[in-house]
């Protein structure tokens, strides 16, 4: 199952030092598909936990929180653009998602380095690099993810369940014994870590 860029989805995510038991439960339900290893740069704001802004593979990606339904969070992706990104989109989508109201220029487009230079000049923002090795599983009407993370010198795991069908996501979470677990997005986790 693959989601369209503009499709809203419900997500659950958890971070820990060892989530291999959840990975094994995913693998018992579906064959995993390893994704290429990636190095991603997250732009983290201290002003909210409702946005997820990152640079991955030469693209600028923005996800914004639309709402919560119980333990699930509903996210939309208003931007998934290849660099250089038009200044207008940075001013109208990226900066507001980070809680900022800035004018950074007239027209033109920003390269990855130019965007990160704008970010570095803002006291409310920070960046962090995250190395990922992800495996995806199609489990019924859900996409499940197991990911090995390296952030600075720390090695961590994260698991996620994404679905457009909330009932399917909640059933899977309960089957995995995660029905009472705390949902924590990248935005929340990285904000807590950096600030």
């Amino acid at each position: 199952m693959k989601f369209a860029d503009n499709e809203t989805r419900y997500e659950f995510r958890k971070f820990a030092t060892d989530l291999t038991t959840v990975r094994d439960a995913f693998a018992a339900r579906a064959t995993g598909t390893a994704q290429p290893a990636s190095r991603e740069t997250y732009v983290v704001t201290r002003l909210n936990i409702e946005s997820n802004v990152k640079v991955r593979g030469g693209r600028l990606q923005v996800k914004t929180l639309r709402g919560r339904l119980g333990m699930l969070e509903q996210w939309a992706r208003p931007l998934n653009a290849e660099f250089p990104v038009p200044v207008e989109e940075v001013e109208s989508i990226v900066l507001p998602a980070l809680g900022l109201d800035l004018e950074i220029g007239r027209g033109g487009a920003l390269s990855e380095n130019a965007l990160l230079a704008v970010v570095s000049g803002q006291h409310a923002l920070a960046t962090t690099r995250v190395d990922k090795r992800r495996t995806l599983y199609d489990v019924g009407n859900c996409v499940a993810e197991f990911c090995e993370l390296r952030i600075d010198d720390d090695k961590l795991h994260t698991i996620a369940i994404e679905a457009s069908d909330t009932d399917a996501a909640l059933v899977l979470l309960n089957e995995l014994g995660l029905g009472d677990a705390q949902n924590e997005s990248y935005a929340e986790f990285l904000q807590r870590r950096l600030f």
Side-chain angles (χ1 to χ4, degrees):
M1 169 180 284
K2 184 163 173 58
F3 296 102
D5 275 345
N6 59 354
E7 181 180 357
T8 60
R9 67 199 74 169
Y10 290 89
E11 299 183 13
F12 171 87
R13 182 171 294 280
K14 179 178 176 62
F15 294 86
T17 54
D18 185 1
L19 291 168
T20 53
T21 56
V22 180
R23 176 202 62 198
D24 294 345
F26 290 161
R29 289 166 169 76
T31 301
T33 304
Q35 306 298 298
S38 64
R39 170 169 282 184
E40 305 175 11
T41 301
Y42 280 80
V43 179
V44 184
T45 178
R46 60 174 83 228
L47 302 176
N48 69 60
I49 55 170
E50 285 82 40
S51 63
N52 182 341
V53 177
K54 69 181 175 184
V55 175
R56 173 167 68 183
R59 301 186 74 82
L60 177 59
Q61 300 179 340
V62 177
K63 284 175 32 178
T64 54
L65 185 66
R66 293 290 189 240
R68 292 183 172 87
L69 181 64
M71 64 189 303
L72 299 176
E73 295 180 336
Q74 184 184 31
W75 291 84
R77 182 174 285 167
L79 184 67
N80 182 7
E82 188 172 334
F83 282 103
V85 177
V87 167
E88 179 182 286
E89 291 187 345
V90 173
E91 289 180 342
S92 66
I93 299 172
V94 182
L95 295 174
L98 295 168
L100 299 176
D101 181 14
L102 292 175
E103 289 186 18
I104 55 175
R106 293 179 179 254
L110 295 181
S111 67
E112 179 178 334
N113 287 339
L115 175 71
L116 295 177
V118 169
V119 167
S120 70
Q122 300 301 314
H123 173 71
L125 306 181
T127 60
T128 188
R129 285 209 172 113
V130 180
D131 293 308
K132 298 182 180 181
R133 288 183 17 203
R134 301 184 313 140
T135 303
L136 301 181
Y137 304 84
D138 279 336
V139 183
N141 290 330
C142 303
V143 173
E145 173 193 85
F146 172 79
C147 185
E148 296 174 275
L149 304 175
R150 186 176 186 97
I151 307 173
D152 300 322
D153 292 327
D154 294 336
K155 292 182 179 179
L156 301 162
H157 291 164
T158 183
I159 59 97
I161 293 171
E162 299 182 5
S164 53
D165 177 354
T166 57
D167 290 339
L170 292 170
V171 166
L172 181 56
L173 284 166
N174 284 320
E175 287 177 358
L176 295 169
L178 295 170
D180 294 323
Q182 180 68 38
N183 189 349
E184 186 173 38
S185 67
Y186 268 104
E188 188 173 0
F189 172 75
L190 292 174
Q191 185 194 71
R192 180 166 54 83
R193 183 181 172 89
L194 290 172
F195 299 118

